[in-house]
Amino acid sequence: MKLAMQVTDVAGGALVHVIDSDTRRRAEVSRELLALGVHAEIYEDAGEFLRMLPARGAVLLVESSEDDLSEFMDSLRARQRYYPVSLYSETPRPERIVRALREGALDYLAWPFDPALFADALRKLNEDGDRQRRIERVRAEARALVEQLTMREREVLVSLLDGNSNKQIAAELDLSPRTVEIYRKNVMRKLGAKSASDAVRIGIYADLWELPVA
């Protein structure tokens, strides 16, 4: 069974984790955040942040090498955690900006920060945290519903996700159509689904069928 990814609460943009090995620059970034009413937590490197894995907040990560973001995001995924992330550096190059956005960064800023761009970056961090939190809440609810199913009921639901009729499900699982009908009714009842499409939607959100969730 897949673990539910934990999504940190940006809490209205009130908490940002600054990961930067340069003590002076890290302090300056923190002061700019505080000036905007945002609390800053500071870390010398990504390893320190990953050891602590704070419960909430967004991340501002300085990029000192092309592998910084990729390794950081891979480490978060391995730990089933999500934080909205923006990068910054003193020498942003177009190819690195594009690469960072493809890796999952929400923004890439030049240091020193332009005040308007910095405020916009913080807004994006907050909005993405809200959006992802809503998605993961729906997924967690769907997984909790699916966990109530027996193994056979789950098999019926998976077959239903493939678009199979009761007769096709019966053939696939070596059951009688009448037995499938009973299992299917149990699935609908336990999921609180009013229709087959409701059950399919819950199954998709529970990751029983690998589809992206918009």
Side-chain angles (χ1 to χ4, degrees):
M1 181 181 299
K2 293 186 178 180
L3 296 174
M5 178 179 285
Q6 299 181 49
V7 182
T8 61
D9 182 3
V10 180
L15 175 61
V16 172
H17 303 281
V18 181
I19 305 174
D20 193 331
S21 60
D22 187 302
T23 304
R24 178 175 296 178
R25 184 175 56 210
R26 189 172 66 222
E28 291 179 7
V29 172
S30 299
R31 280 195 292 270
E32 291 199 21
L33 287 166
L34 290 172
L36 294 171
V38 177
H39 179 71
E41 294 287 345
I42 59 175
Y43 306 82
E44 291 188 0
D45 55 37
E48 182 183 3
F49 179 86
L50 292 169
R51 286 191 295 274
M52 297 185 68
L53 284 179
R56 66 184 185 91
V59 173
L60 274 175
L61 171 68
V62 67
E63 187 185 42
S64 56
S65 75
E66 292 187 359
D67 293 328
D68 282 352
L69 180 63
S70 178
E71 293 177 359
F72 182 66
M73 298 300 279
D74 285 346
S75 296
L76 290 179
R77 293 185 191 104
R79 291 164 172 78
Q80 296 291 326
R81 298 300 289 266
Y82 170 84
Y83 302 84
V85 178
S86 285
L87 266 67
Y88 64 96
S89 75
E90 295 183 0
T91 57
R93 299 197 305 270
E95 66 274 13
R96 291 178 71 169
I97 294 173
V98 171
R99 187 172 185 268
L101 296 178
R102 287 179 175 174
E103 289 284 351
L106 298 180
D107 218 332
Y108 198 121
L109 301 172
W111 174 260
F113 298 142
D114 174 279
L117 294 178
F118 188 43
D120 186 57
L122 293 178
R123 178 187 58 78
K124 288 179 181 178
L125 287 173
N126 182 50
E127 289 178 353
D128 186 78
D130 288 342
R131 179 186 64 82
Q132 190 67 26
R133 192 160 56 251
R134 288 193 297 270
I135 290 172
E136 291 303 323
R137 185 178 297 117
V138 171
R139 283 176 167 167
E141 291 171 353
R143 282 190 280 264
L145 289 171
V146 168
E147 285 177 0
Q148 302 176 69
L149 304 180
T150 65
M151 183 59 69
R152 183 61 85 181
E153 289 166 352
R154 186 185 295 245
E155 290 173 345
V156 168
L157 177 57
V158 170
S159 190
L160 186 63
L161 290 174
D162 288 331
N164 291 330
S165 65
N166 283 2
K167 185 176 181 180
Q168 290 169 320
I169 295 173
E172 180 181 10
L173 300 180
D174 194 23
L175 299 170
S176 71
R178 175 57 182 161
T179 300
V180 169
E181 184 178 341
I182 294 172
Y183 279 127
R184 183 165 170 169
K185 286 182 178 179
N186 289 340
V187 168
M188 301 285 284
R189 175 178 54 80
K190 290 182 179 181
L191 297 183
K194 297 180 180 179
S195 64
S197 60
D198 273 351
V200 167
R201 176 183 54 79
I202 293 169
I204 290 173
Y205 274 102
D207 293 330
L208 292 183
W209 194 33
E210 295 296 337
L211 280 182
V213 180

